Amino acid sequence: MLHRIAVLGSTGSIGTNCLEVIGALPERLDLRGVAARSSWQLLGQQTERFAPRWAVLSDSSLKGVVPRSAFSSKTELVFGPEGVERLAADPEIDVIVSGIVGAAGLAGTWAALEAGKRVCIANKETLVVAGPLIMDLARRRGAEVLPVDSEHSAIFQALQSGRKQEVKRIVLTASGGPFRGLSAAQLDEVTPEMALAHPTWNMGKKISVDSATMMNKALEVIEAKWLFGLEVEQIEVVVHPQSIMHSFVEFVDGSVMGQLSPPDMKLPIQYALTWPDRTAGVSPKLDWTKRFQLEFEPPDLECFPALALGFEVARRGGTCGAVLNAANEAAVERFLNRDLKFTDIPRACRAVLEAHDFDPSPSLSELLAHDKRARQEIQLWKS
């Protein structure tokens, strides 16, 4: 079956890896649309290579500025955030890759699910902000939500070894980021340059900082709860520095099923795009002729308090996910601008989370309002 695909966030890390996978499997995957916020030069190059029908730049201010000649003549160029939703809902698209970082990715994902499509979700913030609403919408529309994050893809694959009622717990693995083993005093001196130097993954700035604070794992705990329909008590986190075991599932009989591969995003992307089939692709393979070891250790919640926030938010639900996600995005931005210390990020998030007006059953519009207020509160927060 030939899947017609649109990639939202095609110029980011997930998006460029996704296009590598699509380019390697032309008999299975057909790129019909690409979308980015403002990186028009790279977006133009992508249209020259693949000649998709649509390209979207969500930054409306670029209209009349970007040269049309930078894009394939076979591609229709659209501007504005509404263009992302149009692309996601278009009937000529079968599969949407949701790779836009942050809460900004919610609108495109929502439009695709409304249209009953398969959404390969790399944007964990969408489920963190509106997990119950997203999964309910997918059920009502007959849409599919498949994970692209390496950890959730690993869980998704391992879960196929048993029935849901046979699952004792899932265990998400974390690399530990660049600061594993550092003391609280050392973390207090972390600079943006240090936080962006991840030891095993090549990611964008926001996600790299999230990995360094372990907020990414906090968000993944929340995402896993909604994506797999689990109780919080069924979710655990371990630190695994090699990033080879991407996560695993323990069943009630004691059997443990995990997914191993080199740390490369192309494999989980390809699995989501071609599921339920597996096919040869461009992902690197493990070399079993070479000696290597796998280490696992518990996370240090004292030095990395962001992770504890994830479990707390997953338990409470309601508006907490939207508030934590927005507060973190705004706090990371202030840190990158050298306006907050590294260790201030989880402190600021906790302060805004504890002060917000909790609602256990918010609507989508109410979640977006809480998102906006949390960002404003972070701007006012002082250590």
Side-chain angles (χ1 to χ4, degrees):
M1 181 184 295
L2 184 67
H3 291 306
R4 301 171 298 178
I5 299 166
V7 180
L8 311 183
S10 66
T11 59
S13 176
I14 291 293
T16 53
N17 275 287
C18 187
L19 265 57
E20 283 191 54
V21 172
I22 294 171
L25 299 172
E27 73 287 353
R28 298 290 304 267
L29 308 173
D30 178 22
L31 185 67
R32 293 294 183 91
V34 287
R37 188 179 70 85
S38 58
S39 299
W40 62 267
Q41 294 96 333
L42 180 53
L43 194 71
Q45 293 168 17
Q46 292 173 345
T47 68
E48 291 289 356
R49 178 184 176 189
F50 290 95
R53 182 170 177 181
W54 298 275
V56 179
L57 282 164
S58 62
D59 186 346
S60 303
S61 68
L62 295 174
K63 188 174 183 180
V65 177
V66 172
R68 184 63 182 81
S69 59
F71 293 78
S72 168
S73 60
K74 299 178 181 179
T75 301
E76 179 182 346
L77 182 58
V78 179
F79 293 88
E82 65 280 357
V84 175
E85 296 179 52
R86 279 180 51 201
L87 176 60
D90 193 279
E92 292 191 24
I93 304 292
D94 306 308
V95 180
I96 298 295
V97 177
S98 180
I100 297 175
V101 174
L106 177 57
T109 299
W110 191 274
L113 293 176
E114 280 274 17
K117 301 182 186 299
R118 171 181 294 184
V119 175
C120 302
I121 192 160
N123 172 304
K124 63 174 64 70
E125 292 87 354
T126 292
L127 285 169
V128 171
V129 171
L133 299 179
I134 288 290
M135 299 310 293
D136 178 65
L137 177 62
R139 283 189 292 270
R140 288 189 287 107
R141 298 296 187 184
E144 295 176 316
V145 181
L146 300 185
V148 167
D149 268 353
S150 60
E151 296 85 357
H152 296 89
S153 176
I155 297 297
F156 179 63
Q157 295 180 57
L159 284 173
Q160 295 177 52
S161 297
R163 297 186 292 269
K164 182 178 178 181
Q165 62 267 29
E166 298 170 336
V167 174
K168 180 178 180 181
R169 59 180 171 174
I170 68 170
V171 181
L172 301 172
T173 58
S175 69
F179 307 133
R180 181 175 62 94
L182 266 60
S183 67
Q186 290 172 309
L187 291 174
D188 219 33
E189 303 302 320
V190 164
T191 66
E193 292 77 14
M194 294 164 65
L196 295 176
H198 196 280
T200 53
W201 293 98
N202 180 21
M203 306 173 290
K205 289 184 178 181
K206 190 265 181 184
I207 300 175
S208 294
V209 175
D210 283 353
S211 179
T213 62
M214 292 198 74
M215 184 65 81
N216 70 319
K217 212 54 52 178
L219 300 179
E220 286 171 15
V221 167
I222 303 166
E223 180 184 12
K225 175 185 176 180
W226 304 120
L227 186 60
F228 302 118
L230 298 169
E231 299 297 326
V232 177
E233 290 70 28
Q234 291 177 284
I235 306 171
E236 294 187 17
V237 172
V238 299
V239 173
H240 168 52
Q242 292 80 21
S243 298
I244 291 176
M245 173 76 82
H246 294 293
S247 283
F248 48 93
V249 175
E250 181 182 342
F251 292 93
V252 291
D253 63 356
S255 295
V256 177
M257 302 291 176
Q259 185 264 324
L260 291 78
S261 62
D264 183 276
M265 285 305 302
K266 290 187 283 294
L267 190 149
I269 290 169
Q270 178 177 309
Y271 188 71
L273 292 177
T274 63
W275 186 81
D277 299 329
R278 292 186 186 270
T279 185
V282 293
S283 302
K285 310 298 187 290
L286 287 173
D287 185 351
W288 295 103
T289 67
K290 294 182 179 179
R291 177 181 296 179
F292 64 90
Q293 62 184 18
L294 304 178
E295 301 171 275
F296 301 93
E297 61 188 60
D300 184 345
L301 296 180
E302 183 175 342
C303 286
F304 298 95
L307 181 56
L309 282 175
F311 284 99
E312 292 173 27
V313 167
R315 286 189 183 92
R316 291 194 73 192
T319 49
C320 288
V323 171
L324 176 62
N325 178 73
N328 178 62
E329 285 186 22
V332 168
E333 185 176 359
R334 284 189 63 183
F335 166 68
L336 290 172
N337 290 332
R338 305 179 193 279
D339 191 33
L340 281 184
K341 294 193 300 183
F342 179 78
T343 48
D344 282 338
I345 295 174
R347 293 178 191 139
C349 290
R350 177 172 288 283
V352 172
L353 187 64
E354 291 179 347
H356 95 279
D357 186 13
F358 175 71
D359 183 344
S361 302
S363 66
L364 183 60
S365 62
E366 288 167 339
L367 287 171
L368 296 177
H370 276 279
D371 175 288
K372 182 178 180 179
R373 283 195 293 272
R375 294 174 193 274
Q376 294 170 342
E377 291 299 318
I378 285 292
Q379 299 306 320
L380 300 174
W381 187 85
K382 295 180 181 180
S383 58

